[in-house]
Amino acid sequence: MSNKSKGLRRLIGTPVSAYDQKSAMIFLAPMMVVLMAVAVFPILYSFWISLFDLKLTRPHRAPFVWFDNYVHIFQDQMFWDSVGRSTSFTLMSVSAIMLIAMLMALLLNEEFRGRRILSAILLIPWAIPYVANGLMWKWIYDSGYGALNGLLFQLGLIDKYLVMLGDVDKTMLLITNSFVWKEVPLATILLLVTLKSIRADLYSAAKVDGANVWQRFIHITLPALTPGFALVMIYETMMAIRHVDLFFILTEGGPADASHVVAWQVYVETFRKLAFGTGAALAYIMAIVTFTLAFFIIRSTSRKL
Amino acid sequence: MKIPHLGRRALLFFASLLSALYVLAPIGWLVSSSFQSEAEITSVPPHWIPDEPTLENFATI
């Protein structure tokens, strides 16, 4: 046996021949090329762009400015305001998603007639494309003839149709609602799967010990759900920080910048102001923040296990 | 015992109803609008069930 496959054998622990290793490389090569082109190259190239002062309005002159783009962003008050808006959007939507998804997962965990139909119904928002979701909510929130206004009017809760998305105080809540509505099914499934993996005899043992429903929930269900919560939190935080579809369709940055979040700023910088360097730098800042958050969430939740 | 069993079933039923409404309400309005003509969709107050259903919108696609 060659030295190469002996090392591999020690690593994997099963017999591996040198022939397998070579043919494995050959089979993996096409996939690696695609992965490099589609995933790795854009990540590296966009970091490269963020180091230049690249504006498509004057593409011939793009000086290398080291980290000037980043410095200018951190000095911009608009950026910090946007960070505040992104943060509040993320906090609101992730908490709402976790709460609603947990309640729905607990519901779907019980056995009752019609559970399958309910599961199918609850998955519908997930199946809708983001853009379709945005358009639907745009029409529901419309101040002229929206369904929400109509419903409130017919229930007698308001006297006349209110301005919804154009109202500085309401607009973030409405966008959060649209986002949460779309994201809840996926979170529900992730939590439901974690719930189903809890051993049933834990509950029986607790019942024998005299624990009531609330105590069983706090001491068995919640601790066992921690990895599920971590996964949902990381994923939904990531989606909330980078989400731009709803902001694009519903408010385009909002009445007087009320919904001008960092993700929207990336779009404006890159595609409207054509300042690619700044846009790339902003996108990288978002990526680093998301990565850091995910890192801390994983660290704090895996210690509990 | 019967009473806790009934209470549990009622709770599950109302929870299911609430979740289903939360999810289906916007979709239901969307589907209902797809069968309404433009004039009817933009009427105030909105028609939840189309008075004059039309297949025009599907024909346009």
Side-chain angles (χ1 to χ4, degrees), chain A residues 244-260:
Chain A
V244 75
D245 313 41
L246 276 176
F247 294 98
F248 184 82
I249 295 178
L250 290 178
T251 55
E252 293 217 357
D257 282 337
S259 65
H260 193 120

Side-chain angles (χ1 to χ4, degrees), chain A residues 100 104 107 110 112 118 121-122 124-125 128 136-137 139-140 144-145 147 150-151 154 161 177 180-181, chain B residues 8-9 11-12 15-17 19-20 22-27 29-30 41-48:
Chain A
I100 302 179
M104 286 202 185
L107 174 66
E110 305 286 330
F112 56 92
L118 188 65
I121 291 179
L122 290 181
I124 292 179
I128 303 180
M136 177 178 80
W137 287 104
W139 280 107
I140 292 180
Y145 5 80
L151 184 68
Q154 284 179 332
Y161 275 25
N177 177 53
V180 165
W181 186 86
Chain B
R8 181 175 176 273
R9 280 185 60 175
L11 183 66
L12 285 175
S16 316
L17 195 63
S19 330
Y22 174 64
V23 165
L24 285 181
I27 303 280
W29 172 83
L30 195 64
I41 294 181
T42 58
S43 64
V44 173
H47 298 175
W48 301 110

